[in-house]
Amino acid sequence: MRKNNRKIMMAGAAVAAVFSIATIAAGEPKSGYLSAEPETQAMQDDDFSNPAMLVTDYGGDLWSTADGDSGKSCEDCHGDAADSMKGVKTRYPTYYQPWGKMINLELRINECRKDNQKAKAWKYESKEMLGMASYIGYQSRGMPMAVDIGGKATPFFTKGKEFYYERRGQLDMACSHCHEDNSGNMIRANLLTEGQINGFPTYRLKWSGVGTLHRRFKGCNDQVRAIPYERGSDEYVNLELYLAWRGRGLAVETPSVRN
Ligand code: HEC
Ligand code: HEC
């Protein structure tokens, strides 16, 4: 009891130190796009000025390049991605029977490489994975995010939700403290958004490059001086499921541009 009170007081102090005002976010989910600078929005709006399109195009090249012991390209089996991969991004993470747990798009791409293409898995944050995840995500642009959290997905959804509300790190803060209680407020030099995931992989000006959602998770864990998890870990995939549901209905913006 005493220990608990102390924890809450410490967290209160940390929150007061970083935020000027506190408001409660409510209503429909809002994309980070809405809080971006007009120049940043313009970069995303125009495929020719969107720096992430280079990476996405590279994914398109890989799509039609033969690889692995099958000697086949993705296209040889899946055909035109504009048809076969349309809407795929909107329903990931999804329950994956062979694992008995959830799988996200990046991990699913690697499963297919190993099982069907008979090729080596790509590193999670590699140029190849960023390219392919962006290219597949791009085929769902404008479509509403719509993950299924029923049936076998439910226990994983619950874990992801718990993670979201759990205090962690030296600052003892949960995701919700920044992205729910304080979205719309300034934190240091940044305007806090709802931390929605509909634009990933995303081009971040701060990264000068494209990064995965799990890279972002690590960055946000670092901000509160918490030990981050591995990209592709169960913890992050479950968290991704919760966030995909939280932003359900938001249009896919892959590849987005953010500060
Ligand atoms: C030899 C044929 C073959 C090749 C090559 C292949 N795939 Fe697949 N892929 C499949 C089949 C079959 C499935 C259906 C499920 C399964 O058995 O894995 C699938 C499923 C998928 C899915 C899940 C789709 C969904 O609706 O949820 C993704 C994503 C995917 N593949 C991506 C890729 C990518 C990216 C490549 C190239 C790097 C690739 N695949 C290469 C045969 C192939
Ligand atoms: C100390 C405050 C803080 C905490 C706690 C925090 N974040 Fe963030 N997060 C930020 C800031 C600042 C940004 C960049 C501005 C923005 O989009 O809000 C950001 C951005 C994001 C984005 C990118 C949004 C977009 O539109 O591209 C996601 C996703 C995100 N955070 C998820 C999380 C998750 C999940 C957690 C919990 C593990 C978390 N954040 C915890 C401060 C925080």
Side-chain angles (χ1 to χ4, degrees):
M1 183 65 172
R2 253 188 72 201
K3 212 172 146 209
N4 258 343
N5 277 341
R6 229 185 97 226
K7 258 186 124 177
I8 291 165
M9 275 168 57
M10 275 170 56
V15 172
V18 267
F19 301 117
S20 37
I21 353 155
T23 49
I24 305 293
E28 296 286 295
K30 283 186 207 69
S31 168
Y33 175 88
L34 297 173
S35 323
E37 300 289 335
E39 305 86 74
T40 313
Q41 292 180 341
M43 276 169 96
Q44 178 179 315
D45 291 343
D46 175 11
D47 280 356
F48 290 99
S49 64
N50 183 340
M53 283 312 291
L54 284 174
V55 173
T56 307
D57 287 345
Y58 175 60
D61 293 342
L62 291 174
W63 181 259
S64 45
T65 308
D67 199 4
D69 289 342
S70 72
K72 292 202 159 122
S73 69
C74 317
E75 190 173 20
D76 287 336
C77 292
H78 290 286
D80 189 349
D83 298 324
S84 63
M85 294 292 138
K86 192 178 165 78
V88 167
K89 171 85 179 170
T90 66
R91 47 182 176 77
Y92 275 76
T94 188
Y95 184 78
Y96 189 55
Q97 198 69 47
W99 290 357
K101 58 185 185 181
M102 307 305 292
I103 193 167
N104 72 359
L105 186 56
E106 284 84 355
L107 298 173
R108 186 68 185 85
I109 290 169
N110 267 343
E111 275 297 284
C112 195
R113 281 180 61 77
K114 287 186 286 181
D115 289 351
N116 299 314
Q117 198 173 31
K118 313 285 179 212
K120 263 175 46 188
W122 283 320
K123 287 218 173 84
Y124 201 93
E125 200 74 38
S126 63
K127 201 172 102 186
E128 290 79 11
M129 183 58 87
L130 287 165
M132 189 58 73
S134 301
Y135 182 67
I136 293 181
Y138 184 70
Q139 312 306 326
S140 299
R141 248 205 184 176
M143 294 176 71
M145 308 238 296
V147 279
D148 184 0
I149 59 163
K152 290 189 167 146
T154 305
F156 301 98
F157 171 79
T158 306
K159 283 186 196 164
K161 184 173 179 181
E162 280 165 8
F163 190 109
Y164 190 78
Y165 287 100
E166 210 168 73
R167 295 171 180 277
R168 65 189 72 243
Q170 280 177 37
L171 296 189
D172 203 28
M173 287 171 79
C175 313
S176 57
H177 287 128
C178 283
H179 294 297
E180 199 171 274
D181 304 344
N182 282 288
S183 71
N185 293 331
M186 298 296 287
I187 175 172
R188 301 187 193 101
N190 293 296
L191 178 61
L192 276 170
T193 71
E194 291 180 1
Q196 296 290 356
I197 66 170
N198 54 315
F200 284 85
T202 194
Y203 184 94
R204 265 195 94 193
L205 302 169
K206 194 184 147 197
W207 291 336
S208 303
V210 177
T212 62
L213 175 65
H214 291 195
R215 178 175 178 190
R216 181 81 244 200
F217 285 171
K218 272 179 170 271
C220 280
N221 278 160
D222 285 342
Q223 290 199 45
V224 296
R225 281 174 240 138
I227 298 163
Y229 291 84
E230 288 302 313
R231 293 174 174 87
S233 61
D234 293 347
E235 286 82 2
Y236 279 178
V237 173
N238 295 338
L239 177 63
E240 181 175 348
L241 176 66
Y242 173 67
L243 290 176
W245 174 84
R246 179 173 175 259
R248 65 198 178 283
L250 281 179
V252 172
E253 293 175 20
T254 308
S256 65
V257 185
R258 297 284 188 270
N259 300 339

